[in-house]
Amino acid sequence: MIDTASRPGLRSIRMTDDEARQVCELSNECVRRFDDVESAAFLREVTVIAHDLPGRIRREVNLARLDESLHALVVRDHAVGDEIGPTPSHWREAANAASMVHSFTLMLYASLFGEAIGWESQQDARVVSDVVPTPGQESSTVSSSSTRELGWHTEDAFSPFRADYVGLFCLRNPDAVATTVGMLAPHALDETTRNLLCEPRYQFLPDPSHDAHRPGEGTGAAGTLSAGPVQLLPILRGGPDGRDLCIDSDYTLPAPGDALAARALAVAHEVIASSLYELVLHAGDVCFLDNRNVVHGRRPFHARFDGQDRWLKRVNVTRDLRRSSGARVGTARRVVRSTP
């Protein structure tokens, strides 16, 4: 496994005690001023409020935002204690008052990268969602799994409105369960394979988490939100050099009957799998992954369902909110439809 300490593209900040105190006080002020992290009033003001985060932290976040080779930025040493209560056994129980302050913290950081969005079809359209292991979903292909490894993926690869960054706030991780991070390095591909991956020859299906409001959530087949003819798109995007990566190890498929596309996809799987490294987030770590440069997943673990399992807060961030203007609904129009 590659040593993350020397990994280019991975940036890490340790806060001083005074910086951690400032972040905590600002987040608690948000709790006092606003009813909920999802409120329209907070979503309108969060970018202005975030200007009161410690100056050094804001500068480091800005450097990460401007870094076109960024894998992830981790800001460490936020105070998280037992006041959050037991890890819930379902995301519907996770948005409790005890953990609300940490949702505000995550949103403050998110606003430094761009605009936070939620999904109409995911976790009751919350902008800040929760990642917890869920009984009965141990071997599913979504983030509520545990005994099954969460396959590496571009977050919401199926949608043109997918996030530019994925933010994670680790509230609890006693078993040091690792997030996996990987990439598709250009030098690892021959010219023919690269050209094929840059061509629109691949299907991108929604994962079952986008059907979570229906019975059997997170365990059904992919693609239930698709409508009309299947659109074919490239895996490498952003011009002829294909700087942006979009792929899901479970839900990206070659066009039916396209043997060349299937072969190129197999090579991409092999290269990405060989590039994977582990990033362990501990309680108090806030991490933002660049969803254009890297894929991410999670190692398997044994969930005990004893109130002490791994628990993350999650937010999706876009640098261009206008891109989804025709597909947004809901509170302060931050919620995106999963289908046209």
Side-chain angles (χ1 to χ4, degrees):
M1 196 59 59
I2 299 170
D3 180 11
T4 60
S6 58
R7 164 59 55 184
L10 183 60
R11 307 171 73 104
S12 180
I13 309 169
R14 285 204 172 276
M15 293 192 298
T16 65
D17 291 344
D18 187 54
E19 288 169 338
R21 178 188 55 77
Q22 291 178 56
V23 174
C24 183
E25 289 179 353
L26 186 60
S27 301
N28 275 293
E29 181 183 341
C30 290
V31 173
R32 291 189 292 270
R33 286 183 57 191
F34 301 98
D35 293 335
D36 193 290
V37 73
E38 308 283 335
S39 71
F42 175 68
L43 293 174
R44 282 194 302 269
E45 292 192 38
V46 58
T47 302
V48 176
I49 298 169
H51 292 173
D52 290 329
L53 287 167
R56 184 180 73 97
I57 304 302
R58 284 186 283 117
R59 285 190 290 273
E60 291 294 336
V61 171
N62 191 55
L63 288 174
R65 184 181 62 85
L66 296 173
D67 184 355
E68 295 185 359
S69 63
L70 180 73
H71 292 184
L73 168 72
V74 184
V75 184
R76 303 189 186 275
D77 298 328
H78 297 84
V80 178
D82 292 337
E83 76 283 350
I84 61 174
T87 299
S89 60
H90 194 281
W91 58 261
R92 283 197 176 95
E93 304 162 8
N96 55 44
S99 69
M100 185 64 68
V101 64
H102 303 303
S103 296
F104 278 107
T105 300
L106 184 59
M107 281 292 291
L108 290 170
Y109 283 113
S111 72
L112 299 178
F113 282 94
E115 303 290 341
I117 57 171
W119 293 96
E120 186 180 36
S121 56
Q122 195 174 67
Q123 294 206 11
D124 291 341
R126 293 174 182 168
V127 175
V128 178
S129 58
D130 289 87
V131 179
V132 293
T134 302
Q137 296 187 39
E138 292 90 341
S139 60
S140 72
T141 59
V142 295
S143 61
S144 52
S145 65
S146 48
T147 57
R148 176 173 178 163
E149 178 153 348
L150 180 63
W152 48 259
H153 58 283
T154 299
E155 193 78 3
D156 305 308
F158 72 94
S159 175
F161 311 124
R162 64 191 167 276
D164 294 314
Y165 302 97
V166 178
L168 302 171
F169 191 163
C170 180
L171 303 188
R172 183 173 283 137
N173 190 12
D175 301 313
V177 180
T179 297
T180 53
V181 181
M183 72 232 69
L184 192 55
H187 64 267
L189 300 172
D190 61 79
E191 184 177 0
T192 298
T193 299
R194 184 173 184 80
N195 288 341
L196 286 166
L197 294 174
C198 287
E199 294 175 3
R201 306 172 79 129
Y202 304 91
Q203 302 177 42
F204 294 81
L205 305 179
D207 69 67
S209 71
H210 282 277
D211 205 19
H213 57 295
R214 300 180 185 177
E217 61 182 77
T219 58
T224 57
L225 294 174
S226 298
V230 173
Q231 184 180 12
L232 297 179
L233 295 164
I235 285 172
L236 292 175
R237 307 176 187 182
D241 56 350
R243 287 169 294 175
D244 292 351
L245 172 64
C246 185
I247 189 171
D248 188 309
S249 59
D250 293 315
Y251 297 115
T252 299
L253 306 172
D258 190 337
L260 290 176
R263 192 174 304 122
L265 180 59
V267 172
H269 273 250
E270 182 179 347
V271 171
I272 292 173
S274 67
S275 77
L276 288 178
Y277 63 91
E278 294 184 346
L279 174 58
V280 177
L281 300 178
H282 299 282
D285 288 350
V286 171
C287 173
F288 280 85
L289 295 146
D290 193 313
N291 200 43
R292 302 158 300 177
N293 290 340
V294 295
V295 295
H296 67 281
R298 191 217 63 239
R299 293 302 189 198
F301 65 101
H302 177 69
R304 297 177 295 271
F305 305 116
D306 61 354
Q308 295 300 309
D309 284 319
R310 181 178 183 262
W311 180 6
L312 306 178
K313 296 281 183 182
R314 178 180 61 198
V315 68
N316 291 315
V317 182
T318 178
R319 295 185 68 161
D320 182 7
L321 190 60
R322 186 170 180 171
R323 180 159 50 98
S324 60
S325 59
R328 293 198 311 274
V329 296
T331 303
R333 292 184 55 78
R334 294 297 189 97
V335 177
V336 180
R337 297 186 189 94
S338 298
T339 53

